């Protein structure tokens, strides 16, 4: 019944104050009050829309507010910015598209003192995050260091990847990976699951145990728990808003894809083959422009034939890695793999 004549006051710290408790008087003759009481989803929908609006505005406003970002290793000349980095034997060749030029410093060993736009964006998202948004009723999906928890506010359409910075990626590097994902999305129109920048949060009392308990319950049949390193002894975690993978999707790699394609084809949605052929063709073109995406190459493909790129952190370039150098010097290795995938789907359909 708090939904009747609903109103809140919100201050600049994001604190909510409830007003006019007198409106809670219930009248059996009021059709409007009865509708509110019988249908609480009206108010919860309104509040979810408020939450989503704030999340969207937090990202857009920060993007619009900062047109130029100073990062260590960048010098300004007039209105232009120029990348200045030490010579690196592992440096990538420039891509023909000038604005897409990359080198090993993009997410490599370079240390950034100021993450600029991304850190401000991260702080904005962090200020709106509430631990109550973690849904501990749904299953948790975990990898080696990270776990995906669904959001309780968005009907399982969004969630959060959470990990311990002591054993996983540090927040500064995670911010650079987020920037790279956005860059590739903007230039090459690729898909990924990252919805916002990562941020670090202190764990409130009891939260570490709740995270661990849900992780163990969801993964006891998959992992050797004695060898896992999730939330053990940490006092803070890194959180990144993420989109969950579409139901029935599979991760495919060059050395192991036929069985996954077979299952996708058995359960495909209408237009799957045509969509996948187009997406594979785009990925082949991308591989020719950015050969280092071939390192530890993996894609997720859904039942509509859409491709999602994963793990942008693997793009770190090391001049001492023979395997990475081979991938960069021979982009035809990846393009051949993608062409074989395309041909396999053609034969099966």
């Amino acid at each position: 019944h708090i939904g009747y004549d609903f109103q809140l006051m919100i201050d600049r710290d994001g604190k909510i104050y409830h007003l006019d408790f007198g409106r809670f008087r219930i009248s059996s003759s009021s059709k409007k009050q009865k509708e509110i009481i019988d249908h609480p989803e009206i108010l919860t929908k309104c509040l979810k829309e408020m939450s989503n609006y704030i999340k969207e505005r937090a990202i857009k406003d920060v993007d619009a507010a900062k047109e130029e970002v100073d990062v260590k290793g960048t010098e300004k000349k007039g209105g232009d910015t120029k990348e200045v980095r030490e010579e690196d034997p592992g440096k990538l060749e420039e891509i023909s598209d000038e604005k897409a030029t990359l080198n090993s410093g993009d997410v490599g060993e370079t240390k950034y003192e100021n993450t600029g736009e991304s850190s401000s964006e991260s702080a904005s998202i962090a200020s709106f995050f509430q631990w109550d948004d973690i849904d501990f009723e749904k299953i948790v999906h975990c990898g080696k260091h990270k776990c995906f928890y669904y959001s309780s506010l968005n009907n399982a359409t969004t969630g959060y990847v959470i990990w311990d910075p002591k054993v996983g990626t540090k927040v500064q590097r995670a911010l650079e990976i987020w920037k790279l994902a956005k860059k590739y999305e903007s230039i090459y129109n690729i898909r990924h699951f990252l919805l916002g920048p990562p941020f670090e949060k202190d764990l409130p009392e009891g939260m570490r145990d709740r995270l661990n308990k849900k992780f163990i319950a969801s993964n006891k049949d998959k992992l050797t728990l004695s060898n896992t390193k999730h939330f053990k002894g940490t006092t803070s975690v890194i959180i990144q808003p993420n989109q969950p993978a579409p139901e029935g999707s599979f991760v495919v790699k060059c050395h192991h894809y036929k069985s996954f394609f077979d299952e996708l084809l058995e359960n495909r949605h209408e237009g799957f083959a045509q969509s996948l052929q187009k997406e594979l063709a785009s990925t082949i073109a991308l591989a020719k422009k950015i050969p280092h995406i071939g390192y530890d190459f993996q894609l997720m493909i859904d039942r509509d034939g859409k491709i999602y790129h994963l793990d942008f952190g693997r793009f770190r370039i090391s001049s001492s890695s023979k395997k990475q150098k081979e991938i960069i010097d021979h982009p035809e290795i990846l393009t051949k793999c993608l062409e074989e995938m395309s041909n396999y789907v053609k034969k099966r359909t």
Side-chain angles (χ1 to χ4, degrees), residues 174-185:
L175 282 166
E176 290 303 316
I177 292 170
W178 158 245
K179 288 170 65 178
L180 186 67
K182 287 207 304 180
K183 181 176 183 177
Y184 282 6
E185 179 185 26

Side-chain angles (χ1 to χ4, degrees), residues 275-343:
S275 175
L276 181 57
Q277 292 294 353
K278 290 180 181 178
E279 302 248 337
L280 286 171
S282 297
T283 307
I284 290 171
L286 179 65
K288 291 177 179 178
K289 286 188 174 183
I290 317 174
H292 62 280
I293 69 168
Y295 183 66
D296 194 21
F297 182 72
Q298 52 190 315
L299 296 171
M300 180 170 283
I301 302 175
D302 69 14
R303 292 176 179 176
D304 293 318
K306 293 177 182 176
I307 284 177
Y308 302 81
H309 290 260
L310 307 172
D311 189 12
F312 290 84
R314 75 182 194 276
F315 294 168
R316 173 180 289 177
I317 307 302
S318 169
S319 58
S320 61
S321 172
K322 292 182 180 179
K323 186 175 181 180
Q324 283 186 327
K325 189 173 188 304
E326 181 182 10
I327 291 291
I328 294 167
D329 291 344
H330 300 283
E332 66 273 11
I333 296 174
L334 177 56
T335 55
K336 180 182 177 183
C337 155
L338 292 166
E339 287 167 357
E340 288 175 350
M341 288 184 184
S342 178
N343 290 333

Side-chain angles (χ1 to χ4, degrees), residues 16 26 29 37 39 55-56 67 71 88 98-99 133 143 172 177 191 198-199 211 215 252 267 279 290 308 319:
I16 284 178
I26 307 301
S29 62
I37 294 169
H39 300 282
K55 288 178 182 178
E56 291 171 2
E67 297 179 357
V71 181
D88 181 351
E98 183 177 351
K99 70 175 181 177
D133 193 13
Q172 193 166 335
I177 292 170
R191 290 186 196 85
F199 52 89
L211 292 171
F215 155 67
V252 299
N267 299 283
E279 302 248 337
I290 317 174
Y308 302 81
S319 58

Side-chain angles (χ1 to χ4, degrees), residues 129-309:
F129 173 79
Q130 298 292 327
W131 285 105
D132 289 346
D133 193 13
I134 301 296
D135 191 337
F136 286 100
E137 298 301 317
K138 291 186 173 66
I139 192 169
V140 174
H141 304 280
C142 295
K144 186 177 181 181
H145 297 307
K146 302 178 180 180
C147 289
F148 177 85
Y149 294 80
Y150 282 98
S151 166
S152 61
L153 299 179
N154 293 305
N155 195 28
T157 58
T158 62
Y160 301 95
V161 171
I162 304 179
W163 70 93
D164 181 351
K166 292 180 180 179
V167 296
T169 307
K170 301 294 186 289
V171 70
Q172 193 166 335
R173 175 162 166 73
L175 282 166
E176 290 303 316
I177 292 170
W178 158 245
K179 288 170 65 178
L180 186 67
K182 287 207 304 180
K183 181 176 183 177
Y184 282 6
E185 179 185 26
S186 173
I187 297 171
Y188 300 112
N189 200 31
I190 65 169
R191 290 186 196 85
H192 55 80
F193 293 113
L194 306 180
L195 295 177
F199 52 89
E200 192 161 359
K201 273 279 189 181
D202 290 335
L203 286 170
E205 185 177 356
M207 184 55 66
R208 183 179 66 195
D209 291 339
R210 292 188 72 187
L211 292 171
N212 264 330
K213 183 178 179 181
K214 189 61 184 177
F215 155 67
I216 292 171
S218 299
N219 297 275
K220 59 184 178 182
D221 298 329
K222 302 176 185 177
L223 301 171
T224 304
L225 297 178
S226 60
N227 295 329
T228 59
K229 297 180 179 179
H230 295 77
F231 319 121
K232 290 185 177 180
T234 186
T235 57
S236 67
V237 292
I238 298 175
I239 303 169
Q240 185 162 23
N242 262 249
Q243 175 187 341
E247 184 178 353
S249 54
F250 285 95
V251 175
V252 299
K253 300 185 178 184
C254 285
H255 62 277
H256 190 196
Y257 64 85
K258 291 183 179 180
S259 61
F260 294 133
F261 276 147
D262 289 343
E263 190 157 347
L264 280 167
L265 288 165
E266 287 294 323
N267 299 283
R268 67 182 185 256
H269 294 162
E270 186 177 352
F272 169 86
Q274 296 88 337
S275 175
L276 181 57
Q277 292 294 353
K278 290 180 181 178
E279 302 248 337
L280 286 171
S282 297
T283 307
I284 290 171
L286 179 65
K288 291 177 179 178
K289 286 188 174 183
I290 317 174
H292 62 280
I293 69 168
Y295 183 66
D296 194 21
F297 182 72
Q298 52 190 315
L299 296 171
M300 180 170 283
I301 302 175
D302 69 14
R303 292 176 179 176
D304 293 318
K306 293 177 182 176
I307 284 177
Y308 302 81
H309 290 260

